[in-house]
Amino acid sequence: MARSLRTELDTGTMSGFQWTAVAVCWLLNVLDGFDVLVMAFTGRAVQTEWGLSGAQLGLLLSAGLVGMAAGSMLLAPWADRIGRRPMIVLCLVLASAGMLLSGVSQSMLHLGILRVLTGIGIGGILAGSNVIASEYASKRWRGLAVSLNSTGYAIGATGGGVAAVVLIDQFGWRSVFLFGGVCTAALIPLVLLLLPESLDFLTTRRPARALERVNTLARRMRREPLEVLPAPEHAPNNMGAGFLRLVAADHRRTTLLLWLLFFLAMAGFYFITSWTPTLLTEAGLSADQGITGGTLLNVGGILGAAALGLLAARFALRSVLIGYMVLTAVLLGVFIASTSVLAAAFLLGAFIGLFANGCIAGLYALAPAVYGPGVRTTGVGTAIGIGRIGAIVSPTAAGALLDLGWTPQALYVVVGGIFVAAAALLLLVRPVTAPEPQASATEAQ
């Protein structure tokens, strides 16, 4: 029987090469945090220069998220066919081009199209990077490896905000996009140099020189080379077949639960990050205090994702994630009521950021573990895309409810209920265990 390098990686200690792969994936996730909020950082200046209405600015704010949803759902499945690493490089090219061209855009329409293009690139990057981080981590450290990626989002959001303030004051809003484009382009050679191809892709899809490439990776991870590749799991022959596999009888239950989980969690998370500064102001704080509260959400998020990963190294990831969701709901229920004591409001805001960001990190860690390698990126990318739809819908829905007379307290209680519902759904999620059709073990060409 052929040795399984996958089993050895799952149960063995992690090499420096494996941690380097995780670190590169973390850098890719920093782009997500910067890109999601770059329009928020520059929105006021763009609105003033072009005389945009609030509705027009809202469209620009949503354009990037629309692109991310499309990229996650449409580009990610191709990574299961051509490779995770080539797809990430292609998406980096798209994202850097979109950011750089945004810096010279001359109209709202032009900028909106480029925001969608950038979002498509970022969406494809996230699906592939989370899968690679998961595959190169051992079972013990897998939760931490993927959760660290989510700290990249919070760091990108926090650092991007600081950079935007300096750049806009000195050079105007276009410089923020140019800065982001240069940073994105700089990651292309880094990925080519340091990010390995997915091991499971090589053993499942069997591209040219698969055995040679697997053994090169094995040596870099201080493992003995293989004589032959193990029997591969069946992989869908085309993108449409990959989508159909997700909703086949043995995958359907897990897929639908995962989609609903991502939708609910991202809807709740993006409501919190989008509306908290404004709702804190409506609850009686000053504008500066509201912004401070929003910033503390991101600061807490940096710690929350890392803490979840460390806890997942000792306890079952699903149990840790359920705890995070329940605690998020409890904190949301008392948040607005705490605004009469400023220090308490800020402390609660930081803890909400900690646990809410950890919820997203936990789902990113959970998703690759429930699918086999043949549809793993398709499954993760589709789930992220469904989640982005929730991210687009929830801020708009919250604004409509406020217009109908809802109070900030009522909104936070409802969003808390969303996290409780997500925690209950987690109890139903199980990895796909139905066996894939097996092919005979053969040496790669």
Side-chain angles (χ1 to χ4, degrees):
M1 178 181 294
R3 278 175 48 229
S4 171
L5 189 56
R6 162 54 51 210
T7 300
E8 294 177 17
L9 295 185
D10 282 345
T11 58
T13 58
M14 286 190 53
S15 65
F17 176 79
Q18 290 167 268
W19 282 115
T20 298
V22 172
V24 175
C25 293
W26 174 84
L27 283 174
L28 292 170
N29 275 260
V30 172
L31 289 177
D32 182 30
F34 183 90
D35 188 78
V36 165
L37 295 181
V38 67
M39 198 63 238
F41 300 147
T42 59
R44 186 71 173 182
V46 172
Q47 185 178 34
T48 300
E49 179 175 326
W50 289 342
L52 303 180
S53 66
Q56 289 173 319
L57 179 60
L59 289 174
L60 287 178
L61 290 168
S62 298
L65 290 172
V66 171
M68 288 180 194
S72 295
M73 297 180 72
L74 300 179
L75 288 186
W78 283 100
D80 284 328
R81 290 180 52 76
I82 68 172
R84 276 66 144 165
R85 184 170 175 266
M87 182 54 67
I88 287 174
V89 172
L90 173 61
C91 289
L92 280 170
V93 172
L94 287 177
S96 59
M99 290 289 278
L100 291 169
L101 291 172
S102 293
V104 295
S105 58
Q106 298 299 313
S107 69
M108 174 197 160
L109 178 61
H110 187 194
L111 181 57
I113 292 172
L114 291 170
R115 291 298 298 143
V116 173
L117 174 66
T118 305
I120 288 172
I122 296 294
I125 289 168
L126 289 180
S129 65
N130 280 286
V131 167
I132 288 180
S134 173
E135 289 181 355
Y136 276 95
S138 65
K139 280 187 176 179
R140 180 182 181 187
W141 296 111
R142 188 161 293 149
L144 176 62
V146 181
S147 297
L148 284 175
N149 284 347
S150 294
T151 69
Y153 170 88
I155 290 172
T158 305
V162 173
V165 170
V166 175
L167 290 170
I168 291 173
D169 285 345
Q170 295 293 321
F171 307 106
W173 64 267
R174 297 175 187 278
S175 65
V176 183
F177 287 97
L178 295 174
F179 171 76
V182 170
C183 290
T184 303
L187 285 178
I188 296 174
L190 189 69
V191 166
L192 292 172
L193 181 65
L194 296 177
L195 188 68
E197 179 54 275
S198 157
L199 180 65
D200 288 347
F201 169 80
L202 294 175
T203 57
T204 299
R205 284 289 180 181
R206 307 293 176 95
R209 300 171 37 248
L211 180 61
E212 178 185 340
R213 294 169 68 182
V214 167
N215 283 335
T216 298
L217 292 173
R219 294 185 187 97
R220 297 182 73 179
M221 294 183 286
R222 302 197 297 269
R223 309 285 175 182
E224 290 295 321
L226 303 178
E227 294 184 5
V228 295
L229 293 175
E233 291 190 22
H234 173 71
N237 293 324
N238 55 61
M239 190 172 73
F243 282 123
L244 291 175
R245 193 82 185 98
L246 295 181
V247 293
D250 55 339
H251 286 66
R252 186 181 304 121
R253 180 177 182 273
T254 295
T255 293
L256 295 178
L257 285 171
L258 200 64
W259 287 356
L260 186 54
L261 272 169
F262 267 84
F263 183 91
L264 292 175
M266 284 198 175
F269 177 76
Y270 280 94
F271 162 79
I272 293 168
T273 55
S274 299
W275 277 102
T276 291
T278 300
L279 294 181
L280 284 175
T281 302
E282 289 196 14
L285 301 187
S286 68
D288 287 344
Q289 289 169 339
I291 292 172
T292 300
T295 302
L296 286 171
L297 289 172
N298 289 320
V299 173
I302 296 172
L303 301 174
L308 179 134
L310 291 171
L311 288 169
R314 293 182 58 85
F315 307 102
L317 172 61
R318 187 175 62 166
S319 299
V320 175
L321 185 51
I322 289 173
Y324 262 62
M325 287 184 170
V326 172
L327 285 170
T328 301
V330 172
L331 292 171
L332 288 172
V334 299
F335 181 46
I336 290 298
S338 72
T339 54
S340 57
V341 181
L342 186 60
F346 285 169
L347 184 63
L348 281 174
F351 274 103
I352 288 172
L354 187 154
F355 287 111
N357 197 287
C359 291
I360 303 301
L363 287 179
Y364 278 149
L366 179 71
V370 302
Y371 290 116
V375 292
R376 183 169 291 143
T377 311
T378 302
V380 173
T382 305
I384 293 174
I386 296 293
R388 295 290 184 186
I389 295 172
I392 295 166
V393 169
S394 71
T396 304
L401 292 173
L402 285 170
D403 289 342
L404 291 174
W406 282 49
T407 65
Q409 178 69 37
L411 284 176
Y412 277 99
V413 169
V414 168
V415 174
I418 288 174
F419 280 101
V420 171
L425 287 175
L426 271 170
L427 295 171
L428 305 176
V429 174
R430 297 286 186 277
V432 176
T433 56
E436 301 273 11
Q438 297 291 308
S440 60
T442 57
E443 187 168 350
Q445 297 295 321

